[in-house]
Structure formats: structure tokens, C-alpha cells
């Protein structure tokens, strides 16, 4: 979510938000919460993400993305996104949203474990069973603002592009952490739910990584988030 002066895409007629088959694969499950940041070359913004629906058989999911401080007019912006899980139904080759094969490779290769998997598959278009690995790759496309999906434009922010996403299903496999009080250099999160977790935990492994892509946006805007314990209550709602 960053490209300036872009228009809101049409709302999906068949969004998985309205009907889905719940399923779980580690932290890839409805209700999973993540806290962290989105950063570019000059700024870092607090981000919270909640998964609302997951259908492993259809390789789809969706959720809410909340970002703090992106614009002065809107101190908090929340969007709903649809997700494609790379595997049997969706390939590493995007083939839409203005992304070329070259763009795909530039972004996917930034993630852990992609090179080994790509060498195994031999192609961006070869299907595979993502459930056989302790990580998943996804594409996320923001669809509309929450709660008012009729808002079509916010100066300084939009969602014309999409995210390349990597999600580790096992935090024990992740060595890079997000540091918080006692060892962090960044201020505490502006999101109250995430701030509470910052106080309770000194360091959390980064399980969710992403890069935003749009041909007219600053390249390689980065997501880095940790998974929050299941005891935290959900705070997003549609109105």
C-alpha cells in the first residue's frame, strides 16, 4: 500500500471473505495475527495483519492489513486483501498486475528458501504441493478500505500494486528477529495491540516477509512481521 494517485480496483464479486472452508497450516489459519513494520528508503510504518479466511484446497486466503502513519490525513488505514497461495493452483509467475517474469524473479529471490525450491521446480510455472514445506509463498492484492469501501482515493496512499509474500510456518527455523524494549532501536508500535506485545516480548522471529510491487512505486518496500500468540483477541471488524 503506497503508490500515489492510484484508483481503487473494482470490488471482487466472489471474495473469499463471504464464503470459505476454514483450514489450518501452522500460523496460516483464520484469526492469525502479525505485528511488525513496512519500510521504504526513508520511513518505517507500523503494520498489523489479521488473516480472516484460509482455504488450503483452493489455495486462497484473505485478511486485513492496518498501517499507521502513512498519511497525515489518515493516521490509520486498514484494507482488506485477497491472497493467492503459490502451489497447485497459483504459480510463481504472476502474469498480471503489470508484473513481468523478470519482476517476479527479482522479488521471489529476496526470500529465504526460494532459490532451493526454484532449483527443485525448474520453472516459475510448475505446480507443487505447498503443504509439503515448512513455509508458503503468496501474493496479496488489497481490494478495498475498511470500514468504508466506497472511499476511492487517499492522497499519499493507495493499493494499485500487490505484495509478494513469504510466510514461515515454524518460528524455530527463523534466525532474524524483531527487537523490542530492552534491545530495540525503533520506538514502540503505534498500534495498541502490537504495543502490548512489544512490552511482553523482547524479541520475536520474523515469520512474515513481503515486498510491495507497482511499476510506478518505489521498489522493494519491505514488510517484516512476527506472529502474535493466539491469546490476543481480534479487533478488526467489518461495518
Amino acid at each position: 500500500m503506497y503508490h500515489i494517485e492510484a484508483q481503487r480496483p473494482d470490488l471482487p464479486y466472489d471474495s473469499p471473505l463471504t464464503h470459505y472452508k476454514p483450514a489450518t497450516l501452522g500460523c496460516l489459519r483464520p484469526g492469525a495475527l502479525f505485528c511488525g513494520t513496512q519500510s521504504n528508503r526513508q520511513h518505517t510504518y507500523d503494520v498489523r495483519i489479521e488473516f480472516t479466511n484460509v482455504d488450503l484446497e483452493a489455495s486462497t486466503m484473505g485478511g486485513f492489513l492496518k498501517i499507521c502513519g502513512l498519511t497525515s490525513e489518515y493516521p490509520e488505514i486498514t484494507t482488506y486483501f485477497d491472497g493467492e497461495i503459490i502451489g497447485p493452483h497459483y504459480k510463481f509467475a504472476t502474469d498480471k498486475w503489470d508484473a513481468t517474469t523478470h519482476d517476479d524473479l527479482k522479488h521471489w529471490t529476496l526470500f529465504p528458501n526460494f532459490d532451493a525450491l526454484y532449483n527443485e521446480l525448474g520453472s516459475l510455472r510448475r505446480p507443487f504441493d505447498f503443504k509439503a514445506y515448512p513455509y508458503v509463498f503468496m501474493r496479496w492484492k488489497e481490494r478495498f478500505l475498511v470500514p468504508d469501501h466506497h472511499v476511492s482515493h487517499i492522497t499519499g496512499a493507495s493499493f494499485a500494486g500487490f505484495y509478494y509474500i513469504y510466510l514461515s510456518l515454524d518460528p524455530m527455523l527463523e534466525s532474524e528477529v524483531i527487537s523490542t524494549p530492552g534491545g530495540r532501536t525503533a520506538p514502540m508500535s503505534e498500534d495498541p495491540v502490537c504495543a502490548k506485545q512489544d512490552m511482553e516480548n523482547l524479541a520475536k522471529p520474523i515469520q512474515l516477509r513481503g515486498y510491495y510491487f507497482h511499476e510506478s512505486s518505489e521498489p522493494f518496500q519491505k514488510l517484516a512481521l512476527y506472529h502474535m500468540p493466539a491469546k490476543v483477541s481480534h479487533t478488526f471488524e467489518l461495518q
Side-chain angles (χ1 to χ4, degrees), residues 29-54:
R29 58 175 176 77
L33 291 169
F34 298 82
C35 280
T37 60
Q38 177 170 312
S39 58
N40 57 31
R41 287 178 294 207
Q42 296 181 320
H43 302 287
T44 297
Y45 306 99
D46 291 320
V47 171
R48 175 157 55 100
I49 290 171
E50 178 180 352
F51 296 167
T52 58
N53 47 283
V54 176

Side-chain angles (χ1 to χ4, degrees), residues 2-20:
Y2 192 77
H3 174 56
I4 307 298
E5 300 294 332
Q7 298 299 315
R8 177 180 60 86
D10 292 336
L11 299 184
Y13 289 106
D14 192 28
S15 170
L17 181 64
T18 56
H19 60 281
Y20 59 91

Side-chain angles (χ1 to χ4, degrees), residues 4-160:
I4 307 298
E5 300 294 332
Q7 298 299 315
R8 177 180 60 86
D10 292 336
L11 299 184
Y13 289 106
D14 192 28
S15 170
L17 181 64
T18 56
H19 60 281
Y20 59 91
K21 300 176 182 178
T24 61
L25 187 64
C27 58
L28 181 58
R29 58 175 176 77
L33 291 169
F34 298 82
C35 280
T37 60
Q38 177 170 312
S39 58
N40 57 31
R41 287 178 294 207
Q42 296 181 320
H43 302 287
T44 297
Y45 306 99
D46 291 320
V47 171
R48 175 157 55 100
I49 290 171
E50 178 180 352
F51 296 167
T52 58
N53 47 283
V54 176
D55 187 337
L56 297 182
E57 295 305 312
S59 300
T60 60
M61 54 84 67
F64 297 117
L65 187 155
K66 174 184 175 182
I67 187 166
C68 299
L70 188 60
T71 72
S72 57
E73 183 180 2
Y74 292 86
E76 297 180 355
I77 299 174
T78 300
T79 56
Y80 173 77
F81 64 86
D82 285 330
E84 302 173 347
I85 304 171
I86 309 304
H89 301 297
Y90 299 99
K91 314 304 186 296
F92 280 111
T94 302
D95 293 330
K96 55 187 173 183
W97 301 327
D98 298 319
T100 66
T101 300
H102 180 64
D103 294 321
D104 291 335
L105 281 172
K106 282 196 306 181
H107 288 80
W108 291 128
T109 54
L110 296 172
F111 294 121
N113 297 305
F114 173 78
D115 288 342
L117 180 57
Y118 181 59
N119 290 335
E120 178 184 331
L121 298 176
S123 170
L124 292 177
R125 302 182 185 281
R126 183 177 177 182
F128 65 98
D129 181 8
F130 64 84
K131 288 177 281 189
Y133 299 86
Y135 49 81
V136 289
F137 296 90
M138 296 179 278
R139 276 182 295 265
W140 291 357
K141 177 65 174 174
E142 293 169 290
R143 295 298 184 182
F144 52 87
L145 292 172
V146 178
D148 189 358
H149 67 270
H150 297 293
V151 175
S152 61
H153 173 75
I154 295 177
T155 301
S158 76
F159 34 93

